[in-house]
Amino acid sequence: MHKILFASSEAYPLIKTGGLADVSASLPAALTALGNQVRVLVPGYPQALDVIKKSFGRRRIAQLTIGTTAVTLWQTPVKNADITFWVAECSAFSTRSGNPYTDENDRDWSDNAERFHLFCELTRRLALGDVGLRWQPDVVHCNDWPTALAPALLHGHSNRPATVFTIHNLAYQGLFPAETRHELGLPETFWHMHSLEFYGQLSFIKGGLIYADRLTTVSPSYAGEIRTEQHGCGLDGVLRDRGEHLSGILNGVHQADWDPETDPHLPANYHADDLRNKARCKQNLVRELRLDVGREEQPLVGFIGRLVEQKGIDLIVEILPWLIAQGCRVALLGSGTPELEQRLDALARQHPGQVSLTLTYDEALAHRITAGVDLFMMPSRFEPCGLNQMYSLLYGTPPVVHSIGGLKDTVFDADEFPMDQANGFSFNEPTPESFLQALRRALNLYQDPAHWQRLQVNGMKVDYSWQHSARAYMDVYDSALEQRTAP
Ligand code: ADP
């Protein structure tokens, strides 16, 4: 049993921009179920404060000042979900709605360094038991760059907990101009290439990569890939150096939220032994999105995700005309960079009955698309783990994926794997040609209902729960505690 302070810049259902939020709720819940005591520390964005006030109730447990900023810490138990959130209300976070990291033009907020440094300093104080709560964790688990300075700030404290840092996406590093270190009041001892300096810039993520006792990332394949120059985002050397402390643990799925048998967002529920209601979900979705009716001989194809380069949206733009020419209908949901949004929007406008594009964040629609489409596209150029392919597998919607990172670890190609294992389609090169070849194979197999159903059921029957991975994290916590070095 461990006492774990789990620090994250987003956690479902308080605030979510991507998979990090799902993991920051579902992993702590699984750890709690295994007997650990977990506190999930999240910044008090207006949306998060709203949710806890309206839905869960809250209790003020601490008030403190960091620099000149007053911080109020709220405790919120989420009923039936085995999670206790600690939500930090302070001016740096609580006065600004919208995306936590970027403004409405998709530019980083200019004070991100100050805001997330403050969050890391709060993490440090809570980790050291300095806040008068009579609760000190034995493990601090930090996630991605917004929390990565905490292990650095804790370094050298004799009474510090063990520190674990998880890389959910190495491409986001929290890089700031060199002078920022003075503005944040960081010690000069951090200013060298074996510490927080990264080619003349201040790197938040290096705080985690260098100072945490143990490192993890979210799939075994990605753990290998980030040690290579091609996928290491300039940090492969650091990660090779720390190779023996780095492990890849596949994310799980919070199956209470993502189960087609009980999902309240669906017009009809279904399970692997009886897929008839999946067809009703499809009919409803077609109507809801005002797509053409009929065309059943070709699959309805879906995509959900952030519209950013990482997700291979340019590849989707390239192959869409071909899918349209085949008579497929396509349901797209996402938001992201203006340029990619516009390219998709142009195609959707040209083919209103065949392509539906919803440019927003819509949790309920994400569930209905996952259930209602026949085939899910995920051509990510890189993918640390990816949750959407697992959701679609669980919903009997075979995915077509670029074979990389977590996609490689979860999707098994129909032509390469035995009939009792295959669950989707994959391609090796992130090019329109290889994506299109995989789609062509999928469209062909769709014509063979018995074989297709086999693929669906294989995906639906795999155990993607957190059980196994949460235990793997507990092993990491044990070894981090052993590793914790004397100051
Ligand atoms: P990433 O963390 O890189 O964004 P993941 O596949 O790990 O990718 O997780 C994405 C999560 O965000 C999934 O839960 C997905 O359903 C959700 N998501 C992304 N964009 C949207 C959107 N526009 N509407 C609803 N859910 C979305």
Side-chain angles (χ1 to χ4, degrees), residues 10 16-23 168-169 172 251 258 304-308 310-311 333-335 358-367 370 378 383-389 391:
E10 46 184 285
K16 169 167 162 178
T17 71
L20 172 62
D22 293 287
V23 175
H168 297 261
N169 194 334
Y172 299 97
N251 282 337
W258 290 93
I304 301 164
R306 293 179 296 118
L307 302 179
V308 296
Q310 176 199 338
K311 299 290 174 185
L333 168 64
S335 60
T358 311
L359 287 174
T360 178
Y361 186 90
D362 186 335
E363 189 75 30
L365 180 58
H367 285 245
T370 306
M378 207 150 159
E383 193 56 80
C385 176
L387 291 170
N388 282 304
Q389 85 282 10
Y391 298 151

Side-chain angles (χ1 to χ4, degrees), residues 431-453:
T431 59
E433 295 75 28
S434 21
F435 185 18
L436 202 140
Q437 264 185 24
L439 284 165
R440 195 192 300 274
R441 290 190 291 119
L443 264 53
N444 281 338
L445 206 92
Y446 185 73
Q447 308 303 332
D448 178 351
H451 198 159
W452 188 262
Q453 191 168 338

Side-chain angles (χ1 to χ4, degrees), residues 320-461:
L320 265 182
W322 181 82
L323 276 184
I324 292 162
Q326 302 306 304
C328 291
R329 290 159 298 172
V330 185
L332 310 165
L333 168 64
S335 60
T337 60
E339 191 228 323
L340 292 171
E341 288 190 355
Q342 279 156 18
R343 288 176 73 186
L344 287 175
D345 193 46
L347 278 162
R349 279 172 195 277
Q350 280 167 29
H351 306 276
Q354 267 185 282
V355 181
S356 144
L357 172 66
T358 311
L359 287 174
T360 178
Y361 186 90
D362 186 335
E363 189 75 30
L365 180 58
H367 285 245
R368 289 197 295 277
I369 291 180
T370 306
V373 299
D374 299 297
L375 192 64
F376 191 85
M377 301 184 280
M378 207 150 159
S380 309
R381 290 184 178 276
F382 67 94
E383 193 56 80
C385 176
L387 291 170
N388 282 304
Q389 85 282 10
M390 289 198 265
Y391 298 151
S392 62
L393 286 165
L394 285 170
Y395 279 59
T397 304
V400 183
V401 306
H402 176 209
S403 183
I404 193 140
L407 299 171
K408 189 173 178 174
D409 295 337
T410 50
V411 178
F412 309 119
D413 188 275
D415 290 325
E416 283 174 34
F417 282 80
M419 275 275 269
D420 58 344
Q421 262 183 311
N423 59 15
F425 305 86
S426 60
F427 56 96
N428 292 324
E429 294 302 320
T431 59
E433 295 75 28
S434 21
F435 185 18
L436 202 140
Q437 264 185 24
L439 284 165
R440 195 192 300 274
R441 290 190 291 119
L443 264 53
N444 281 338
L445 206 92
Y446 185 73
Q447 308 303 332
D448 178 351
H451 198 159
W452 188 262
Q453 191 168 338
R454 194 72 201 267
L455 277 193
Q456 293 180 290
V457 171
N458 285 348
M460 295 177 87
K461 290 210 159 154

Side-chain angles (χ1 to χ4, degrees), residues 72 119 213 242 247 350 446 456 469:
T72 302
F119 189 59
D213 297 313
R242 296 231 45 205
S247 48
Q350 280 167 29
Y446 185 73
Q456 293 180 290
S469 295

